[in-house]
Amino acid sequence: MGLLDIFGGKNPEPGESGHFGEYDLQEVVNSGGMADIWLATDPDKRPIAVRRLHPELRKDSKARKRFVRGCEILAEVCDHDHIVSYIDHGKIKGDHFLAMEYCEFPNLKILISRADPVLEQFVGNILIDVAEALEHVHNCGYLHYDFKPENILVSRNGNVRLCDFDLSRPIPDKPTKMSDNPGTPVYMAPEQLRGREIDQRVDIFAFGVTMYETLTGQKPFNGGTSREVLLAQKNRDSHFAAPCDLNPSIPAAVERIILTCIEFEADKRYPHISYLVAELRKALYV
C-alpha cells in the first residue's frame, strides 16, 4: 500500500466530500467562523464528527493557535458524560482538524428559539447536567470562556454535551486581565466586558444568563454592542425582568440561583461552581 492509499490522495476541497487522512468526509453539518464540522466515518466506518479549520485561516497564527488550544483542552476535559468526546486532532496536508464524537443533536439555542417540548420535559436534568460538565471543566483547571446555549447540544431525551473549547484557557490563580476579550457580549460578565481582571466567575455569570434564557425564552441583558449590554447590566433596576415575572412556574429557589449567578459584582456570585451545582441539585430535588 502506498502513501496515497494511506492518506487518501489529495485532500478534498472545502465543501467537498471525500477522503481526509484516515477519515471519510460525508457532508458539512455545521459551519462557524473558524471551522466547518463534517459528518464523517472513521476507518471502522463508525460515524464521527471532523471539525476542519477554514483554509483561509491557515496563515492566521492567532486562529491556528486558538483552534489547536481548543483541541488540546478538549482532550484534557473530555472524560465526562456531558462533554463531547475527543478522538484525535492534528494536521493533514496543511489542514488543522479535530475528530470527535458525532452528536446528532440540536443546540440549546435552537431549542429555546422554538420553545421545544424537550425543554419542558427535561429542563431540570439539562441544567444540572450542563452545570456538572462546567464544574468538571473548572476542576480540570480551565475556564470555558464561551459558555452559551449555542455550545450546549441537547438530544431528544435530554442528554447534553458541552462543546467548543476554542476560547478556553487556564483558570488564573487570582483575578487577572486577559490579553484578549473574545466572546458573545450578552453572555459576558461585566468585568469581562470592561476588560478588567477575571476568574472562574465569568463562566458562572454566563451559566446564569443561559439558565435565565432557558427558563424564560429571553435574555436578561440585551444590546447590540458590548457597551449597550454593559449599560443594561448596570441599570438593571429599570431594564431587568425577574425570571419569575416572565415564567411564574420557576421555583423561588431556582430564581435565587439565577440572580446570584448574574450579580453585577463578581464577589456577590458563587465563588466556585461546586456551590452552584449543590444549590441547583437542592432546588431541583436531585
Side-chain angles (χ1 to χ4, degrees):
M1 181 179 290
L3 287 175
L4 289 179
D5 295 313
I6 295 172
F7 290 102
K10 182 182 177 183
N11 281 356
E13 293 299 317
E16 290 184 358
S17 59
H19 293 295
F20 180 66
E22 62 180 3
Y23 307 113
D24 191 14
L25 305 183
Q26 305 292 322
E27 62 176 321
V28 175
V29 293
N30 199 1
S31 186
M34 285 189 64
D36 290 328
I37 298 179
W38 288 80
L39 168 62
T41 53
D42 67 10
D44 296 321
K45 304 302 180 185
R46 293 173 299 197
I48 63 165
V50 172
R51 188 166 183 257
R52 188 177 172 192
L53 185 69
H54 291 316
E56 61 268 25
L57 296 178
R58 288 176 184 170
K59 296 182 180 179
D60 185 330
S61 61
K62 185 176 180 179
R64 289 200 317 269
K65 288 177 182 177
R66 181 176 288 180
F67 184 91
V68 172
R69 180 178 64 191
C71 296
E72 292 171 346
I73 291 176
L74 175 60
E76 290 192 46
V77 305
C78 69
D79 186 22
H80 191 278
D81 289 343
H82 304 305
I83 295 176
V84 67
S85 296
Y86 167 90
I87 297 172
D88 191 18
H89 79 278
K91 188 164 64 172
I92 296 174
K93 294 187 176 179
D95 286 342
H96 287 274
F97 77 94
L98 165 67
M100 58 187 175
E101 173 187 13
Y102 175 63
C103 301
E104 197 174 2
F105 307 165
N107 64 51
L108 183 57
K109 178 181 178 181
I110 292 171
L111 298 187
I112 294 169
S113 69
R114 66 190 187 201
D116 198 288
V118 168
L119 294 181
E120 185 175 355
Q121 187 174 3
F122 297 110
V123 68
N125 300 87
I126 291 167
L127 292 173
I128 289 173
D129 290 349
V130 77
E132 290 177 347
L134 189 57
E135 180 183 35
H136 176 75
V137 174
H138 284 194
N139 288 344
C140 290
Y142 294 101
L143 297 170
H144 187 280
Y145 215 52
D146 195 22
F147 189 90
K148 57 185 179 181
E150 194 173 353
N151 290 332
I152 300 164
L153 307 178
V154 185
S155 75
R156 299 309 305 170
N157 60 355
N159 285 326
V160 304
R161 296 289 189 280
L162 179 61
C163 62
D164 197 343
F165 292 84
D166 283 349
L167 301 186
S168 298
R169 57 200 63 199
I171 296 174
D173 294 332
K174 60 181 181 179
T176 302
K177 283 188 178 182
M178 296 292 159
S179 58
D180 58 353
N181 193 28
T184 305
V186 291
Y187 301 100
M188 292 165 68
E191 62 271 25
Q192 190 177 353
L193 288 170
R194 294 193 285 185
R196 297 186 178 178
E197 293 82 3
I198 65 98
D199 60 12
Q200 68 279 352
R201 290 171 293 184
V202 296
D203 276 353
I204 292 172
F205 185 94
F207 180 87
V209 174
T210 297
M211 193 173 171
Y212 182 110
E213 187 178 0
T214 302
L215 292 171
T216 69
Q218 298 184 31
K219 296 177 179 66
F221 312 110
N222 284 296
T225 65
S226 296
R227 177 177 171 77
E228 290 175 357
V229 174
L230 182 60
L231 286 173
Q233 293 171 349
K234 290 176 71 174
N235 301 324
R236 61 183 69 196
D237 287 345
S238 56
H239 294 87
F240 177 76
C244 284
D245 290 343
L246 299 174
N247 180 359
S249 68
I250 296 174
V254 172
E255 181 178 68
R256 284 195 297 272
I257 292 169
I258 296 172
L259 296 177
T260 301
C261 288
I262 61 174
E263 284 279 1
F264 188 85
E265 299 296 336
D267 287 344
K268 294 182 178 180
R269 295 177 216 143
Y270 296 104
H272 299 286
I273 196 165
S274 56
Y275 294 97
L276 164 60
V277 171
E279 288 287 316
L280 197 55
R281 286 175 178 154
K282 183 178 178 181
L284 295 172
Y285 307 106
V286 175

